[in-house]
Amino acid sequence: MSISAWTVIAIVVFCLVMLGRGRHSPELVMIGGLVALLLTGILTPAQALAGFANEGMITVAAMYVVAAGLRETGGIELVVRYLYGRTSHVRFAQLKVMLPTIAMSAFLNNTPVVATFIPAITSWARRNSISASKLLIPLSYAAIFGGTCTLIGTSTNLVVNGLWVAEGGPGLRMFDLAWVGIPIALTGLAYVMLFGSRLLPDHKAAKGLFDNPREYTVEMIVDPVGPLVNQTIQQAGLRHLGVLYLVEIEREGRVIPAVNSEERLRANDRLVFAGDVNAIVDLQRLRGLLPVLSEDRTLEKQVPERKLVEVVVSPRCPLINKTLRDSRFHTYYGATVIAVARD
């Protein structure tokens, strides 16, 4: 082989090693490889820039815009709330994740679909006490399965079709790949449903004990021009957040503790949530909620409506072996549990 061929092999191997180490972003590594090929004279400037003019690449870029729009407008949260619903069984959860993903990735590029749904699936898994590791690989596989069903389903299809058209081929139509893609998608779905719950890892977040309320509470403000104004706690989707619970509302200088599900939100209400700090990012994705940026935190104020107490569950307590929801703790005691210390 020529020196140019060995140089290309060396650059490709170097890029693969850098991608595998993960210390630099993929786009930086790939652009660096392209620049190296350009500086060594293996590629001309026209050849180096030709890929940016490929129709497939432009389509992929447009799909990222669509995905960003869905995320920023709250469309992903609507999908999580109304399409996925609630479930406690891993197989049903995988089915709920994979079916919509296959359908969407057939018409949206699978890379932005996965990138958009990762935070939504992680949040949904946390709310339903399911390990996210049981759902993220099925999410990725479902996007790949859906991408094989149509021409625009994956960037690979678009790039290959563009190369074929450049060579004088007739090009593929939208559903020419469906005859192969749909059977593959159904077979892959069946395999994941049968073996996924056993083969996939079960990585659960560690439970921590926090001595400082600042470490396990977060405060958000209801946006005065947001969609949550005048909605009840239930309608706003703030009651069933899984590992976060609405503790109280500060409104116009007074505190509403042990908030009822039918309480209506008002503009500039300050909401105090307690729970797993890793789930705080889920609140920031809800349209109509703004983070509290000041250090003036509600829980650090002394108000007559609030009293923070610590109690011990006795061996004869009727709450033993019951969840807080089943025991109707909130209803009977007019109080909210913000933390539990065990063992």
PDB file of all heavy atoms in Angstrom, residues 17 30 41 79 144 151 162 168 171 189 198 208 271 287-288 305:
ATOM      1  N   VAL A  17      -9.467   5.298  18.737  1.00  0.00           N
ATOM      2  CA  VAL A  17      -8.914   5.258  20.104  1.00  0.00           C
ATOM      3  C   VAL A  17      -9.399   6.447  20.916  1.00  0.00           C
ATOM      4  O   VAL A  17      -9.799   6.310  22.079  1.00  0.00           O
ATOM      5  CB  VAL A  17      -7.373   5.209  20.049  1.00  0.00           C
ATOM      6  CG1 VAL A  17      -6.792   5.372  21.457  1.00  0.00           C
ATOM      7  CG2 VAL A  17      -6.902   3.893  19.442  1.00  0.00           C
ATOM      8  N   MET A  30     -13.786  13.834  15.288  1.00  0.00           N
ATOM      9  CA  MET A  30     -14.017  13.610  13.859  1.00  0.00           C
ATOM     10  C   MET A  30     -13.563  14.807  13.025  1.00  0.00           C
ATOM     11  O   MET A  30     -12.984  14.637  11.938  1.00  0.00           O
ATOM     12  CB  MET A  30     -15.506  13.328  13.611  1.00  0.00           C
ATOM     13  CG  MET A  30     -16.025  12.102  14.348  1.00  0.00           C
ATOM     14  SD  MET A  30     -15.015  10.625  14.093  1.00  0.00           S
ATOM     15  CE  MET A  30     -15.264  10.334  12.354  1.00  0.00           C
ATOM     16  N   GLY A  41      -2.750  16.491   2.690  1.00  0.00           N
ATOM     17  CA  GLY A  41      -2.945  16.519   1.247  1.00  0.00           C
ATOM     18  C   GLY A  41      -3.679  15.321   0.696  1.00  0.00           C
ATOM     19  O   GLY A  41      -3.840  15.199  -0.517  1.00  0.00           O
ATOM     20  N   VAL A  79     -45.755  13.487  26.240  1.00  0.00           N
ATOM     21  CA  VAL A  79     -45.653  12.080  25.858  1.00  0.00           C
ATOM     22  C   VAL A  79     -45.482  11.206  27.096  1.00  0.00           C
ATOM     23  O   VAL A  79     -46.142  10.175  27.258  1.00  0.00           O
ATOM     24  CB  VAL A  79     -44.472  11.862  24.882  1.00  0.00           C
ATOM     25  CG1 VAL A  79     -44.236  10.375  24.661  1.00  0.00           C
ATOM     26  CG2 VAL A  79     -44.757  12.543  23.558  1.00  0.00           C
ATOM     27  N   ILE A 144     -33.213   2.122  16.407  1.00  0.00           N
ATOM     28  CA  ILE A 144     -32.539   1.462  15.277  1.00  0.00           C
ATOM     29  C   ILE A 144     -33.539   0.651  14.465  1.00  0.00           C
ATOM     30  O   ILE A 144     -33.535   0.694  13.225  1.00  0.00           O
ATOM     31  CB  ILE A 144     -31.408   0.568  15.800  1.00  0.00           C
ATOM     32  CG1 ILE A 144     -30.322   1.413  16.475  1.00  0.00           C
ATOM     33  CG2 ILE A 144     -30.801  -0.250  14.659  1.00  0.00           C
ATOM     34  CD1 ILE A 144     -29.254   0.597  17.153  1.00  0.00           C
ATOM     35  N   LEU A 151     -36.915   5.490   4.479  1.00  0.00           N
ATOM     36  CA  LEU A 151     -35.709   6.116   3.937  1.00  0.00           C
ATOM     37  C   LEU A 151     -35.140   7.162   4.890  1.00  0.00           C
ATOM     38  O   LEU A 151     -33.925   7.285   5.036  1.00  0.00           O
ATOM     39  CB  LEU A 151     -36.031   6.754   2.582  1.00  0.00           C
ATOM     40  CG  LEU A 151     -34.907   7.551   1.911  1.00  0.00           C
ATOM     41  CD1 LEU A 151     -33.716   6.641   1.602  1.00  0.00           C
ATOM     42  CD2 LEU A 151     -35.420   8.230   0.638  1.00  0.00           C
ATOM     43  N   GLY A 162     -27.932   8.974  -0.943  1.00  0.00           N
ATOM     44  CA  GLY A 162     -27.294  10.093  -1.625  1.00  0.00           C
ATOM     45  C   GLY A 162     -26.117   9.653  -2.471  1.00  0.00           C
ATOM     46  O   GLY A 162     -25.928  10.137  -3.600  1.00  0.00           O
ATOM     47  N   GLY A 168     -25.593   7.664 -10.152  1.00  0.00           N
ATOM     48  CA  GLY A 168     -26.507   7.485 -11.272  1.00  0.00           C
ATOM     49  C   GLY A 168     -27.653   6.551 -11.000  1.00  0.00           C
ATOM     50  O   GLY A 168     -28.427   6.238 -11.913  1.00  0.00           O
ATOM     51  N   GLY A 171     -32.377   5.921  -6.925  1.00  0.00           N
ATOM     52  CA  GLY A 171     -32.721   6.378  -5.577  1.00  0.00           C
ATOM     53  C   GLY A 171     -33.832   5.546  -4.960  1.00  0.00           C
ATOM     54  O   GLY A 171     -34.623   4.903  -5.661  1.00  0.00           O
ATOM     55  N   LEU A 189     -38.261  -6.453  18.709  1.00  0.00           N
ATOM     56  CA  LEU A 189     -39.163  -6.136  19.813  1.00  0.00           C
ATOM     57  C   LEU A 189     -39.500  -7.384  20.620  1.00  0.00           C
ATOM     58  O   LEU A 189     -39.473  -7.352  21.862  1.00  0.00           O
ATOM     59  CB  LEU A 189     -40.439  -5.488  19.263  1.00  0.00           C
ATOM     60  CG  LEU A 189     -41.531  -5.161  20.272  1.00  0.00           C
ATOM     61  CD1 LEU A 189     -41.043  -4.109  21.260  1.00  0.00           C
ATOM     62  CD2 LEU A 189     -42.795  -4.668  19.558  1.00  0.00           C
ATOM     63  N   ARG A 198     -34.139  -9.885  31.857  1.00  0.00           N
ATOM     64  CA  ARG A 198     -33.152 -10.733  32.542  1.00  0.00           C
ATOM     65  C   ARG A 198     -31.721 -10.401  32.146  1.00  0.00           C
ATOM     66  O   ARG A 198     -30.809 -10.502  32.962  1.00  0.00           O
ATOM     67  CB  ARG A 198     -33.435 -12.210  32.227  1.00  0.00           C
ATOM     68  CG  ARG A 198     -34.667 -12.755  32.922  1.00  0.00           C
ATOM     69  CD  ARG A 198     -34.904 -14.210  32.575  1.00  0.00           C
ATOM     70  NE  ARG A 198     -35.300 -14.371  31.175  1.00  0.00           N
ATOM     71  CZ  ARG A 198     -35.540 -15.551  30.609  1.00  0.00           C
ATOM     72  NH1 ARG A 198     -35.388 -16.658  31.301  1.00  0.00           N
ATOM     73  NH2 ARG A 198     -35.911 -15.611  29.351  1.00  0.00           N
ATOM     74  N   GLY A 208     -29.543   7.936  50.012  1.00  0.00           N
ATOM     75  CA  GLY A 208     -28.702   8.672  50.946  1.00  0.00           C
ATOM     76  C   GLY A 208     -29.490   9.228  52.109  1.00  0.00           C
ATOM     77  O   GLY A 208     -30.703   9.398  52.056  1.00  0.00           O
ATOM     78  N   LEU A 271     -42.822  26.824  45.326  1.00  0.00           N
ATOM     79  CA  LEU A 271     -43.089  25.430  45.647  1.00  0.00           C
ATOM     80  C   LEU A 271     -41.843  24.787  46.228  1.00  0.00           C
ATOM     81  O   LEU A 271     -40.757  24.916  45.673  1.00  0.00           O
ATOM     82  CB  LEU A 271     -43.533  24.663  44.398  1.00  0.00           C
ATOM     83  CG  LEU A 271     -44.605  25.328  43.515  1.00  0.00           C
ATOM     84  CD1 LEU A 271     -44.945  24.431  42.334  1.00  0.00           C
ATOM     85  CD2 LEU A 271     -45.849  25.650  44.321  1.00  0.00           C
ATOM     86  N   ARG A 287     -42.693  22.870  31.938  1.00  0.00           N
ATOM     87  CA  ARG A 287     -43.015  24.222  31.514  1.00  0.00           C
ATOM     88  C   ARG A 287     -43.851  24.909  32.576  1.00  0.00           C
ATOM     89  O   ARG A 287     -44.803  24.355  33.091  1.00  0.00           O
ATOM     90  CB  ARG A 287     -43.773  24.197  30.189  1.00  0.00           C
ATOM     91  CG  ARG A 287     -42.962  23.692  29.005  1.00  0.00           C
ATOM     92  CD  ARG A 287     -43.774  23.815  27.732  1.00  0.00           C
ATOM     93  NE  ARG A 287     -44.093  25.207  27.432  1.00  0.00           N
ATOM     94  CZ  ARG A 287     -45.258  25.614  26.949  1.00  0.00           C
ATOM     95  NH1 ARG A 287     -46.216  24.749  26.718  1.00  0.00           N
ATOM     96  NH2 ARG A 287     -45.476  26.891  26.700  1.00  0.00           N
ATOM     97  N   GLY A 288     -43.460  26.138  32.898  1.00  0.00           N
ATOM     98  CA  GLY A 288     -44.210  26.896  33.878  1.00  0.00           C
ATOM     99  C   GLY A 288     -43.555  26.964  35.234  1.00  0.00           C
ATOM    100  O   GLY A 288     -44.061  27.656  36.122  1.00  0.00           O
ATOM    101  N   GLU A 305     -46.962  28.517  60.464  1.00  0.00           N
ATOM    102  CA  GLU A 305     -47.703  27.432  59.801  1.00  0.00           C
ATOM    103  C   GLU A 305     -46.895  26.148  59.687  1.00  0.00           C
ATOM    104  O   GLU A 305     -47.448  25.082  59.424  1.00  0.00           O
ATOM    105  CB  GLU A 305     -48.128  27.871  58.392  1.00  0.00           C
ATOM    106  CG  GLU A 305     -49.116  29.016  58.361  1.00  0.00           C
ATOM    107  CD  GLU A 305     -48.426  30.354  58.297  1.00  0.00           C
ATOM    108  OE1 GLU A 305     -47.189  30.406  58.494  1.00  0.00           O
ATOM    109  OE2 GLU A 305     -49.106  31.355  58.035  1.00  0.00           O
TER     110      GLU A 305
END
